Amino acid sequence: DYDMYQSILAPVFQDYIMHAYTLRENLIFNHREHEQYIIDSLLKTGMNEKIQSIGLDRNYSRRFFKDGIELSGGEEQRIAIARALCKNTEILILDEPTAAIDPLAESKLFKEIFQATKGKTVIYISHRMSSTRFSNNILVLKDAKLVENGPHEELLKRKGIYSKMFQQQASFYL
Protein backbone atom coordinates (compact mmCIF):
# COMPACT_ATOMS: atom_id res chain seq x y z
CA ASP A 1 0.00 0.00 0.00
CA TYR A 2 1.52 3.30 -1.16
CA ASP A 3 0.25 5.36 1.82
CA MET A 4 1.68 2.80 4.24
CA TYR A 5 5.11 3.05 2.56
CA GLN A 6 4.91 6.82 2.72
CA SER A 7 4.19 6.67 6.45
CA ILE A 8 7.18 4.49 7.36
CA LEU A 9 9.87 5.58 4.86
CA ALA A 10 11.76 8.87 4.73
CA PRO A 11 14.20 8.85 1.82
CA VAL A 12 16.90 11.41 1.05
CA PHE A 13 18.07 10.90 -2.50
CA GLN A 14 21.21 12.41 -3.99
CA ASP A 15 19.04 14.25 -6.48
CA TYR A 16 16.70 15.93 -3.97
CA ILE A 17 14.54 18.91 -4.96
CA MET A 18 14.08 22.25 -3.23
CA HIS A 19 10.63 23.61 -4.02
CA ALA A 20 9.65 27.24 -4.62
CA TYR A 21 7.73 27.31 -1.33
CA THR A 22 8.63 28.60 2.10
CA LEU A 23 11.49 26.95 3.94
CA ARG A 24 8.94 25.62 6.44
CA GLU A 25 6.97 23.99 3.60
CA ASN A 26 10.19 22.61 2.13
CA LEU A 27 10.72 20.84 5.43
CA ILE A 28 7.21 19.47 5.86
CA PHE A 29 3.93 20.30 4.12
CA ASN A 30 1.65 19.39 7.01
CA HIS A 31 3.76 21.53 9.33
CA ARG A 32 0.83 22.53 11.51
CA GLU A 33 0.48 18.90 12.62
CA HIS A 34 4.24 18.29 12.95
CA GLU A 35 5.65 21.66 13.92
CA GLN A 36 7.53 20.13 16.87
CA TYR A 37 9.83 18.22 14.51
CA ILE A 38 11.01 21.25 12.54
CA ILE A 39 13.36 22.88 15.06
CA ASP A 40 14.64 19.52 16.25
CA SER A 41 15.51 18.42 12.71
CA LEU A 42 17.22 21.75 11.97
CA LEU A 43 19.28 21.43 15.15
CA LYS A 44 20.34 17.88 14.24
CA THR A 45 21.45 18.95 10.76
CA GLY A 46 23.25 22.09 11.94
CA MET A 47 20.86 24.39 10.06
CA ASN A 48 18.80 25.87 12.90
CA GLU A 49 20.78 29.06 13.40
CA LYS A 50 20.96 29.83 9.68
CA ILE A 51 17.28 29.14 9.02
CA GLN A 52 16.14 31.03 12.11
CA SER A 53 18.12 34.08 10.91
CA ILE A 54 16.53 33.82 7.44
CA GLY A 55 13.07 32.93 8.69
CA LEU A 56 11.16 29.69 8.24
CA ASP A 57 8.43 31.46 6.28
CA ARG A 58 10.82 32.97 3.75
CA ASN A 59 10.23 31.82 0.20
CA TYR A 60 12.84 29.65 -1.43
CA SER A 61 13.84 30.56 -5.01
CA ARG A 62 15.02 33.84 -6.44
CA ARG A 63 13.59 32.76 -9.76
CA PHE A 64 10.00 33.06 -8.53
CA PHE A 65 10.29 35.48 -5.62
CA LYS A 66 12.14 38.81 -5.53
CA ASP A 67 12.93 38.36 -1.86
CA GLY A 68 13.43 34.59 -2.15
CA ILE A 69 16.59 32.99 -0.89
CA GLU A 70 18.81 30.22 -2.15
CA LEU A 71 21.22 28.09 -0.15
CA SER A 72 24.52 26.45 -1.03
CA GLY A 73 24.53 22.83 -2.20
CA GLY A 74 25.66 21.58 1.21
CA GLU A 75 23.00 23.63 2.99
CA GLU A 76 20.35 22.29 0.63
CA GLN A 77 21.48 18.74 1.39
CA ARG A 78 21.12 19.46 5.10
CA ILE A 79 17.58 20.75 4.48
CA ALA A 80 16.79 17.55 2.52
CA ILE A 81 18.01 15.48 5.50
CA ALA A 82 16.07 17.70 7.92
CA ARG A 83 12.97 17.14 5.75
CA ALA A 84 13.34 13.38 6.19
CA LEU A 85 13.85 13.76 9.94
CA CYS A 86 10.67 15.88 10.13
CA LYS A 87 8.67 12.91 8.90
CA ASN A 88 9.70 11.06 12.08
CA THR A 89 9.41 7.65 10.41
CA GLU A 90 10.72 4.24 11.39
CA ILE A 91 13.02 3.92 8.36
CA LEU A 92 15.38 6.60 7.07
CA ILE A 93 17.01 5.98 3.68
CA LEU A 94 20.07 8.10 2.84
CA ASP A 95 21.32 7.76 -0.74
CA GLU A 96 24.64 9.65 -1.05
CA PRO A 97 23.10 12.51 0.98
CA THR A 98 26.30 14.39 1.80
CA ALA A 99 28.16 14.73 -1.50
CA ALA A 100 28.27 18.55 -1.19
CA ILE A 101 29.21 18.62 2.50
CA ASP A 102 32.81 18.86 3.66
CA PRO A 103 34.28 15.86 5.56
CA LEU A 104 34.30 17.52 9.01
CA ALA A 105 30.69 18.66 8.69
CA GLU A 106 29.75 15.25 7.29
CA SER A 107 31.23 13.44 10.29
CA LYS A 108 29.40 15.70 12.74
CA LEU A 109 26.16 15.38 10.77
CA PHE A 110 26.32 11.57 10.74
CA LYS A 111 26.89 11.47 14.49
CA GLU A 112 23.83 13.68 14.98
CA ILE A 113 21.68 11.67 12.58
CA PHE A 114 22.57 8.31 14.06
CA GLN A 115 22.07 9.65 17.60
CA ALA A 116 18.67 11.04 16.56
CA THR A 117 17.59 7.78 14.95
CA LYS A 118 18.47 5.34 17.74
CA GLY A 119 15.98 2.49 17.69
CA LYS A 120 15.11 3.16 14.06
CA THR A 121 16.43 1.70 10.85
CA VAL A 122 18.79 3.83 8.77
CA ILE A 123 19.79 2.57 5.35
CA TYR A 124 22.81 4.45 4.08
CA ILE A 125 23.84 4.03 0.44
CA SER A 126 27.30 5.34 -0.39
CA HIS A 127 30.50 4.92 -2.32
CA ARG A 128 32.35 6.92 0.35
CA MET A 129 33.87 4.25 2.51
CA SER A 130 34.54 6.57 5.46
CA SER A 131 30.80 6.70 6.12
CA THR A 132 30.63 2.96 6.73
CA ARG A 133 32.28 3.38 10.13
CA PHE A 134 28.94 4.66 11.47
CA SER A 135 27.11 1.49 10.45
CA ASN A 136 26.27 -1.53 12.59
CA ASN A 137 26.01 -3.78 9.56
CA ILE A 138 27.43 -3.20 6.09
CA LEU A 139 26.03 -4.87 2.99
CA VAL A 140 28.36 -5.01 -0.01
CA LEU A 141 26.66 -5.48 -3.37
CA LYS A 142 28.28 -6.39 -6.65
CA ASP A 143 26.34 -6.91 -9.86
CA ALA A 144 23.09 -6.65 -7.87
CA LYS A 145 24.14 -9.51 -5.57
CA LEU A 146 25.03 -9.45 -1.90
CA VAL A 147 28.69 -10.51 -1.71
CA GLU A 148 29.64 -9.55 1.87
CA ASN A 149 28.01 -8.31 5.02
CA GLY A 150 29.00 -7.60 8.58
CA PRO A 151 30.48 -4.85 10.75
CA HIS A 152 33.41 -2.74 9.52
CA GLU A 153 36.20 -4.44 11.53
CA GLU A 154 35.02 -7.92 10.58
CA LEU A 155 34.86 -7.03 6.88
CA LEU A 156 38.39 -5.59 7.01
CA LYS A 157 39.71 -8.84 8.52
CA ARG A 158 38.13 -10.93 5.75
CA LYS A 159 40.26 -9.10 3.16
CA GLY A 160 37.48 -9.34 0.58
CA ILE A 161 36.02 -6.72 -1.75
CA TYR A 162 35.02 -4.38 1.11
CA SER A 163 38.51 -4.41 2.56
CA LYS A 164 40.04 -3.72 -0.85
CA MET A 165 37.67 -0.80 -1.51
CA PHE A 166 38.25 0.66 1.95
CA GLN A 167 42.04 0.37 1.66
CA GLN A 168 41.97 1.90 -1.83
CA GLN A 169 40.05 4.97 -0.66
CA ALA A 170 42.13 5.25 2.51
CA SER A 171 45.33 5.25 0.43
CA PHE A 172 44.34 8.64 -0.99
CA TYR A 173 44.57 10.12 2.53
CA LEU A 174 47.93 8.66 3.52
Side-chain angles (χ1 to χ4, degrees), residues 91-155:
I91 302 172
L92 179 63
I93 302 171
L94 303 170
D95 180 10
E96 300 280 4
T98 58
I101 298 175
D102 71 78
L104 293 175
E106 179 185 49
S107 176
K108 183 178 180 199
L109 179 60
F110 281 138
K111 287 176 186 170
E112 290 289 334
I113 289 171
F114 291 118
Q115 183 64 31
T117 55
K118 284 220 184 285
K120 296 183 179 188
T121 300
V122 179
I123 300 170
Y124 183 76
I125 303 159
S126 181
H127 293 92
R128 290 166 98 169
M129 302 303 286
S130 62
S131 61
T132 61
R133 312 273 325 248
F134 295 101
S135 302
N136 295 330
N137 191 39
I138 301 161
L139 305 176
V140 181
L141 303 173
K142 182 177 181 181
D143 300 324
K145 292 186 174 32
L146 178 65
V147 294
E148 289 183 306
N149 74 314
H152 172 76
E153 295 299 329
E154 184 180 308
L155 291 174

Side-chain angles (χ1 to χ4, degrees), residues 13-170:
F13 299 111
Q14 58 186 318
D15 58 347
Y16 59 87
I17 295 172
M18 291 293 292
H19 303 283
Y21 302 124
T22 67
L23 289 168
R24 186 184 309 272
E25 291 165 334
N26 264 287
L27 289 166
I28 192 161
F29 275 118
N30 56 346
H31 54 83
R32 287 179 185 85
E33 297 170 32
H34 297 94
E35 187 76 25
Q36 73 270 22
Y37 300 122
I38 292 175
I39 301 301
D40 193 43
S41 71
L42 290 172
L43 285 167
K44 289 173 180 149
T45 57
M47 288 298 293
N48 187 54
E49 193 173 307
K50 171 104 181 186
I51 299 304
Q52 292 302 324
S53 71
I54 293 169
L56 275 165
D57 295 309
R58 184 93 176 265
N59 287 313
Y60 193 82
S61 177
R62 290 189 187 131
R63 185 174 182 190
F64 296 107
F65 304 102
K66 266 187 183 179
D67 67 339
I69 59 104
E70 292 185 3
L71 301 169
S72 72
E75 290 169 333
E76 284 185 352
Q77 283 187 316
R78 288 170 184 263
I79 292 295
I81 294 167
R83 178 188 299 158
L85 293 175
C86 279
K87 281 187 75 176
N88 193 35
T89 61
E90 291 302 311
I91 302 172
L92 179 63
I93 302 171
L94 303 170
D95 180 10
E96 300 280 4
T98 58
I101 298 175
D102 71 78
L104 293 175
E106 179 185 49
S107 176
K108 183 178 180 199
L109 179 60
F110 281 138
K111 287 176 186 170
E112 290 289 334
I113 289 171
F114 291 118
Q115 183 64 31
T117 55
K118 284 220 184 285
K120 296 183 179 188
T121 300
V122 179
I123 300 170
Y124 183 76
I125 303 159
S126 181
H127 293 92
R128 290 166 98 169
M129 302 303 286
S130 62
S131 61
T132 61
R133 312 273 325 248
F134 295 101
S135 302
N136 295 330
N137 191 39
I138 301 161
L139 305 176
V140 181
L141 303 173
K142 182 177 181 181
D143 300 324
K145 292 186 174 32
L146 178 65
V147 294
E148 289 183 306
N149 74 314
H152 172 76
E153 295 299 329
E154 184 180 308
L155 291 174
L156 285 180
K157 288 177 187 172
R158 288 187 200 161
K159 302 214 184 288
I161 190 170
Y162 175 84
S163 178
K164 289 175 186 165
M165 290 189 307
F166 188 86
Q167 297 302 328
Q168 178 63 43
Q169 282 191 12

